[in-house]
Amino acid sequence: MNRTQLEIQRRQLEDGLAAMFRDATAANHHDPGTLSISGLGGCTRRAAHQLAHHTPTDDHSHHEQRATHLGQAIHDWALPRLAAQLAHKLTLIEYDVVLPVRGLQIPGRLDLLTLAIGGGLLVDLKTHGYDQGDDGDEPSRTRLLQLYGYATALRRAGYLVQTVAVIPMSRIHGGTPGVWIGEFGPKQEALVDARVRDLLRHAQAPAFAPRDGHQGPGLDLVCDSCQYRSMCWPGAEPAQAEEVRTDADVVAHALGYAEAAAQEKAWKNEKKYHAAALGRRSGRYQANGFEVEVKIHPGGERLDQPAAKELLKTNNLPVPTTRDSETRRALVHRRPPS
């Protein structure tokens, strides 16, 4: 078989893989204009648009969404096996629920509920692509509100739920170093009610609802995949430039840039100092209420760019180059007192 035929087959295989993920996205299509329990703790502005029944401006139903589908495959494999290990009593796996709150009926699908371990235990499995888990830290507000939303829906449907858990699982090696478990009761249920109350208030004027720190398309993955991206970040290219209209805006962003650059340099120096102080120490250490693990990663080989350039020149070969993207610097000058 010649090289051309092999290349044709490779392209067909790659096209088939891409189509496989796109088909899965189409088959698992959800109404992007409907707020679900999983979105309770997400971007406030997006949820406000959904509650205001605004038509989404950006359709992602044709995208591959590979990470999502691979995560779902892990759920399909892991959850029944985990349920079999935990209980033989009442267990709900990937169960559809509805949260009745403040006149709304918010749909959702929980991962696993078992009533065999003490009180009812609600488990949420979160797959991720990075190598390091959260080491038992409390989950983010987004995850907690989602989990509390499921638990509230179950309680209002008559199920006893007393504890909730988050299992972050790496799609790389299956590690679960950050398993977290916490109590669920009236206090957590009240957080869900308060969040929905705030979202309903923001739904009266979604364009003014907070973006919760999301920095816009190109800088934030949440914004890149948002169904209201064009409505939330209209106009200029890049979209963030739309917010700079006056000299005061320019000064504010320039000052922010300069401050961040100064902090970046300081933190890099601080990091180098502490790394040097640790020297060759490795292992686990405990003191002052903390436990730390120090790991040493052996340095790997990398390209010696000056030597590679010299080798190309010696053999009369052109040195490959690329053009950097345009950059900005902000130099801050104090105005003299008037």
Side-chain angles (χ1 to χ4, degrees):
M1 184 178 293
N2 61 41
R3 191 175 296 275
T4 301
Q5 290 174 312
L6 287 173
E7 180 64 19
I8 291 173
Q9 289 188 342
R10 183 187 66 81
R11 291 180 180 177
Q12 289 176 332
L13 184 58
E14 289 181 345
D15 290 344
L17 287 168
M20 175 185 73
F21 284 107
R22 289 195 298 271
D23 287 349
T25 301
N28 195 36
H29 180 69
H30 300 284
D31 181 5
T34 298
L35 176 66
S36 65
I37 295 176
S38 63
L40 277 180
C43 177
T44 298
R45 185 174 295 192
R46 177 171 60 189
H49 281 302
Q50 290 171 323
L51 289 179
H53 305 294
H54 288 171
T55 302
T57 55
D58 299 85
D59 180 14
H60 298 277
S61 62
H62 59 285
H63 291 184
E64 295 179 18
Q65 299 184 13
R66 296 192 177 203
T68 298
H69 298 309
L70 292 175
Q72 184 59 50
I74 293 175
H75 279 67
D76 293 343
W77 181 89
L79 291 176
R81 289 168 171 81
L82 177 61
Q85 297 295 325
L86 293 178
H88 297 287
K89 295 184 180 180
L90 177 61
T91 301
L92 303 177
I93 300 174
E94 298 211 88
Y95 184 72
D96 289 325
V97 293
V98 175
L99 171 62
V101 56
R102 292 187 173 263
L104 300 175
Q105 300 287 319
I106 305 176
R109 172 174 288 187
L110 60 87
D111 282 348
L112 186 151
L113 170 71
T114 176
L115 301 181
I117 302 180
L121 170 64
L122 175 64
V123 176
D124 195 36
L125 176 62
K126 293 291 186 184
T127 63
H128 56 81
Y130 47 87
D131 194 55
Q132 182 63 43
D134 294 332
D135 286 339
D137 291 342
E138 184 170 273
S140 66
R141 171 177 170 274
T142 298
R143 289 184 178 180
L144 283 177
L145 279 172
Q146 177 184 3
L147 198 56
Y148 294 159
Y150 293 142
T152 301
L154 285 167
R155 277 203 168 189
R156 295 183 181 182
Y159 293 97
L160 176 66
V161 181
Q162 293 182 324
T163 51
V164 293
V166 175
I167 303 176
M169 179 177 289
S170 170
R171 288 193 297 270
I172 301 171
H173 50 60
T176 57
V179 174
W180 176 89
I181 190 165
E183 295 181 354
F184 179 80
K187 179 180 177 181
Q188 289 74 26
E189 194 168 341
L191 292 175
V192 175
D193 183 80
R195 173 60 172 168
V196 174
R197 177 199 65 206
D198 291 343
L199 290 178
L200 286 169
R201 176 172 57 84
H202 286 301
Q204 298 174 22
F208 298 98
R211 295 188 178 113
D212 299 335
H214 294 300
Q215 295 183 312
L219 301 178
D220 196 307
L221 292 176
V222 171
C223 297
D224 289 341
S225 60
C226 179
Q227 56 267 44
Y228 295 98
R229 183 184 67 239
S230 299
M231 187 181 295
C232 185
W233 295 91
E237 180 64 37
Q240 291 80 359
E242 179 71 15
E243 299 183 326
V244 179
R245 298 184 176 90
T246 68
D247 286 0
D249 294 336
V250 174
V251 169
H253 282 280
L255 287 173
Y257 176 92
E259 181 180 357
Q263 290 179 344
E264 181 182 30
K265 182 178 180 180
W267 279 110
K268 282 184 177 180
N269 291 336
E270 185 82 358
K271 180 180 174 183
K272 289 178 181 178
Y273 165 73
H274 291 298
L278 289 170
R280 299 294 301 170
R281 290 180 176 84
S282 64
R284 290 184 178 272
Y285 300 84
Q286 294 184 23
N288 303 322
F290 292 95
E291 178 180 322
V292 300
E293 182 179 5
V294 182
K295 295 182 178 180
I296 296 177
H297 297 282
E301 292 185 354
R302 62 177 180 175
L303 178 66
D304 185 336
Q305 294 190 23
K309 289 167 67 175
E310 187 61 33
L311 186 62
L312 289 170
K313 291 178 181 178
T314 302
N315 289 275
N316 296 318
L317 295 172
V319 178
T321 60
T322 59
R323 182 174 295 277
D324 291 336
S325 59
E326 189 177 63
T327 60
R328 297 283 185 276
R329 289 185 65 197
L331 304 177
V332 179
H333 306 281
R334 291 285 183 184
R335 292 183 60 186
S338 55

